[in-house]
Amino acid sequence: GENVEQHPSTLSVQEGDSAVIKCTYSDSASNYFPWYKQELGKGPQLIIDIRSNVGEKKDQRIAVTLNKTAKHFSLHITETQPEDSAVYFCAASKRTTGNQFYFGTGTSLTVIP
Amino acid sequence: EAQVTQNPRYLITVTGKKLTVTCSQNMNHEYMSWYRQDPGLGLRQIYYSMNVEVTDKGDVPEGYKVSRKEKRNFPLILESPSPNQTSLYFCASRPGTAFYEQYFGPGTRLTVT
């Protein structure tokens, strides 16, 4: 099956700086890559996603890049704010096989005011 | 309000005592999933369902059962819980159309002693 690796496991940045979280996947057939933010005591919430036919996607301060050849994708958060502090998960899925999702192990992001 | 609900939110039980965690969604979604979240392991998919009476195993199905008799409900059954099933459990749902996001419930914290 698919194997998704995520780095780093913890990340601390100063408010206003950028944060980058990286994920790699093993199954070249994976074609959908969502990123989730999980705040304390809550379920994960989708913040951005990218499909395999797109190299980059941006939504305000958040962007995701995908390199299909290298099988890795990254989350970029610019101008970080204290409310960005949370655990972030990447995931990979093959749209042709129903509803299986494979998650990374998570990155705990702390934005220091 | 569109949401996924889980009950109970917290449960402490003893080894071998059968339990059911309920999950319900009010968005008419075809796809539903159960995940468990453990420190350092991220989220791992237990079972998923693509519609009523259609279920399939995820990555970690051992020791769990599910059923999908109605579109809105997807209960998770532990017939003989063991301490290694102590975890945080999330239910999620999404539309059947490709590339739509998953909506997660608030989580159920299960402790098996």
Side-chain angles (χ1 to χ4, degrees), chain A residues 42-79:
Chain A
K42 296 185 178 180
Q45 186 171 13
L46 182 78
I47 54 171
I48 196 166
D49 56 13
I50 192 166
R51 306 178 192 184
S52 60
N53 59 348
V54 175
E56 183 173 359
K57 184 177 178 181
K58 191 172 181 180
D59 182 4
Q60 299 183 348
R61 297 185 297 108
I62 294 172
V64 57
T65 58
L66 171 65
N67 183 326
K68 282 196 307 181
T69 303
K71 294 205 279 286
H72 68 70
F73 56 113
S74 300
L75 177 71
H76 305 254
I77 306 174
T78 59
E79 300 170 20

Side-chain angles (χ1 to χ4, degrees), chain A residues 3-23:
Chain A
N3 181 43
V4 178
E5 295 190 358
Q6 182 172 346
H7 299 280
S9 56
T10 60
L11 180 60
S12 291
V13 299
Q14 291 291 137
E15 182 177 357
D17 286 351
S18 296
V20 180
I21 302 170
K22 298 181 179 182
C23 288

Side-chain angles (χ1 to χ4, degrees), chain B residues 50-70:
Chain B
M50 291 181 280
N51 216 322
V52 175
E53 303 290 2
V54 182
T55 63
D56 207 347
K57 296 177 181 179
D59 262 359
V60 288
E62 294 79 18
Y64 304 94
K65 282 179 59 176
V66 293
S67 69
R68 186 95 180 271
K69 293 184 170 52
E70 302 168 284

Side-chain angles (χ1 to χ4, degrees), chain B:
Chain B
E1 180 191 353
Q3 60 183 350
V4 178
T5 57
Q6 296 178 227
N7 283 293
R9 294 290 313 278
Y10 302 91
L11 179 60
I12 300 174
T13 189
V14 296
T15 299
K17 186 176 181 183
K18 181 178 179 180
L19 66 91
T20 299
V21 183
T22 65
C23 172
S24 183
Q25 50 95 2
N26 63 0
M27 296 169 280
N28 201 38
H29 287 168
E30 287 79 12
Y31 288 8
M32 298 184 75
S33 291
W34 275 104
Y35 296 87
R36 60 178 290 173
Q37 183 177 8
D38 302 290
L41 296 178
L43 288 100
R44 293 178 293 167
Q45 199 167 26
I46 303 170
Y47 269 96
Y48 61 92
S49 168
M50 291 181 280
N51 216 322
V52 175
E53 303 290 2
V54 182
T55 63
D56 207 347
K57 296 177 181 179
D59 262 359
V60 288
E62 294 79 18
Y64 304 94
K65 282 179 59 176
V66 293
S67 69
R68 186 95 180 271
K69 293 184 170 52
E70 302 168 284
K71 195 172 186 179
R72 62 183 293 126
N73 296 324
F74 191 43
L76 179 69
I77 302 157
L78 285 72
E79 296 214 325
S80 185
S82 63
N84 64 11
Q85 293 178 299
T86 292
S87 187
L88 179 59
Y89 291 86
F90 289 101
C91 180
S93 75
R94 71 174 185 85
T97 311
F99 300 117
Y100 272 74
E101 68 174 284
Q102 288 191 98
Y103 295 83
F104 282 82
T108 295
R109 173 76 65 184
L110 172 65
T111 302
V112 183
T113 61

